[in-house]
Amino acid sequence: MVFKRMMQAFGVGGPSVDTVLTNPNTYPGGYLEGQVHVVGGDHAVDIEYVAIGLMTRVEVESGDSEYQSNQEFHRQRLTGSFKLESGARHDVPFRFEVPWQTPITEVYGQHLHGMTMGLATELEVARAVDKSDLDTVAVHPLPAQERILNALLQIGFRFSRADVEQGRIHGVEQHLPFYQEIEFHPPSQYASGINQLELTFLPTPQRLQVILELDKRGGVFTEGHDAFGSFDVDYASADQIDWVSRLDQWLRQSASRRGLFF
């Protein structure tokens, strides 16, 4: 009996948790729906709560080093405490709101290299170890975001990779403690002046904030440096703008003001 209680304390024979998403595809400001299935083990337990949260991998700078950390950035508790009998099943339906500034992970049906996104489910059991489940989530761009991405591809920029970086961008409305950078290789007409273009989206319910960083190519006797710029996009009029022309003009003007020429 003592051995059995010890095994129970380590979660052996305890409940299991499984989350089933109605649709794993979503977008910034959207939602995820599904059910959490909690099934009792070989003994009754007291469940403290069931919670779900969005997680992504974040690059964190610490001094001269850099490391990656899996961070939960939005959480919703689905239940309070309840008793789960042996072998019983408890289903918890949910509707989970996705934060507006959630990083995107898919573009045109292709996964962005370097991105991870998952919905973690946590089952807190009294006097025992936690049970958890992780489901992959695909975050697609908003139409306004897609128009910007499409214009850059039409200009000739080629996608390189994406990541999420810990920190804040000055002068913009930022809701999360990190931001996504989508990196592009420049086309030939830009290659003499810049090494890469980094794009950050920070959408809000009212507008899409777009931040661009031009990484200048260093020479034999000169150091490379970056040039930053940002602009807002109105959701209602985003489809009425020639973004290829607008972005090309903006990039050239922004680069020229900062001493980058191509």
Side-chain angles (χ1 to χ4, degrees), residues 4-18:
K4 183 176 182 180
R5 285 200 298 268
M6 289 177 61
M7 296 290 284
Q8 291 176 1
F10 284 99
V12 177
S16 63
V17 59
D18 180 38

Side-chain angles (χ1 to χ4, degrees), residues 12-130:
V12 177
S16 63
V17 59
D18 180 38
T19 298
V20 178
L21 291 169
T22 303
N23 185 350
N25 298 282
T26 187
Y27 52 88
Y31 59 89
L32 292 164
E33 290 183 320
Q35 285 198 350
V36 177
H37 304 305
V38 184
V39 180
D42 60 11
H43 56 275
V45 294
D46 293 320
I47 306 296
E48 298 289 347
Y49 63 82
V50 177
I52 55 177
L54 271 178
M55 298 187 67
T56 191
R57 185 175 297 130
V58 179
E59 291 191 4
V60 182
E61 291 187 4
S62 178
D64 296 331
S65 62
E66 186 176 274
Y67 64 92
Q68 292 188 333
S69 172
N70 292 326
Q71 294 188 17
E72 182 182 84
F73 61 93
H74 187 56
R75 182 179 179 85
Q76 181 178 334
R77 185 173 289 206
L78 303 181
T79 73
S81 60
F82 62 94
K83 190 174 188 66
L84 185 67
E85 299 295 339
S86 172
R89 173 167 165 163
H90 188 77
D91 295 334
V92 185
F94 66 85
R95 180 184 173 96
F96 181 85
E97 293 186 358
V98 176
W100 275 89
Q101 295 183 357
T102 298
I104 62 175
T105 65
E106 318 290 319
V107 176
Y108 302 119
Q110 298 295 317
H111 181 74
L112 290 181
H113 175 66
M115 290 303 304
T116 62
M117 188 70 60
L119 185 70
T121 305
E122 182 180 271
L123 177 68
E124 179 77 12
V125 183
R127 300 178 301 279
V129 295
D130 295 343

Side-chain angles (χ1 to χ4, degrees), residues 106-243:
E106 318 290 319
V107 176
Y108 302 119
Q110 298 295 317
H111 181 74
L112 290 181
H113 175 66
M115 290 303 304
T116 62
M117 188 70 60
L119 185 70
T121 305
E122 182 180 271
L123 177 68
E124 179 77 12
V125 183
R127 300 178 301 279
V129 295
D130 295 343
K131 300 287 186 178
S132 61
D133 183 35
L134 184 65
D135 295 88
T136 300
V137 172
V139 184
H140 299 263
L142 296 164
Q145 292 174 309
E146 195 167 277
R147 291 183 183 281
I148 300 295
L149 292 166
N150 185 53
L152 288 173
L153 294 176
Q154 288 187 53
I155 292 171
F157 284 91
R158 293 173 291 112
F159 174 73
S160 170
R161 65 184 301 273
D163 61 19
V164 178
E165 298 193 7
Q166 186 85 14
R168 306 196 70 83
I169 299 176
H170 178 70
V172 296
E173 183 180 346
Q174 185 176 339
H175 302 156
L176 300 174
F178 53 71
Y179 56 90
Q180 182 182 35
E181 283 190 342
I182 305 174
E183 300 176 6
F184 294 87
H185 296 300
S188 57
Q189 65 265 33
Y190 292 92
S192 61
I194 62 174
N195 187 38
Q196 68 178 9
L197 171 68
E198 296 177 349
L199 167 67
T200 295
F201 290 125
L202 290 176
T204 73
Q206 294 76 32
R207 68 191 190 282
L208 171 63
Q209 300 171 111
V210 181
I211 300 94
L212 294 170
E213 178 181 347
L214 302 176
D215 181 10
K216 182 180 180 180
R217 186 185 300 276
V220 178
F221 302 106
T222 60
E223 293 185 357
H225 64 270
D226 299 339
F228 296 87
S230 64
F231 58 90
D232 291 347
V233 178
D234 177 59
Y235 294 121
S237 60
D239 60 347
Q240 302 170 17
I241 297 174
D242 180 357
W243 285 110

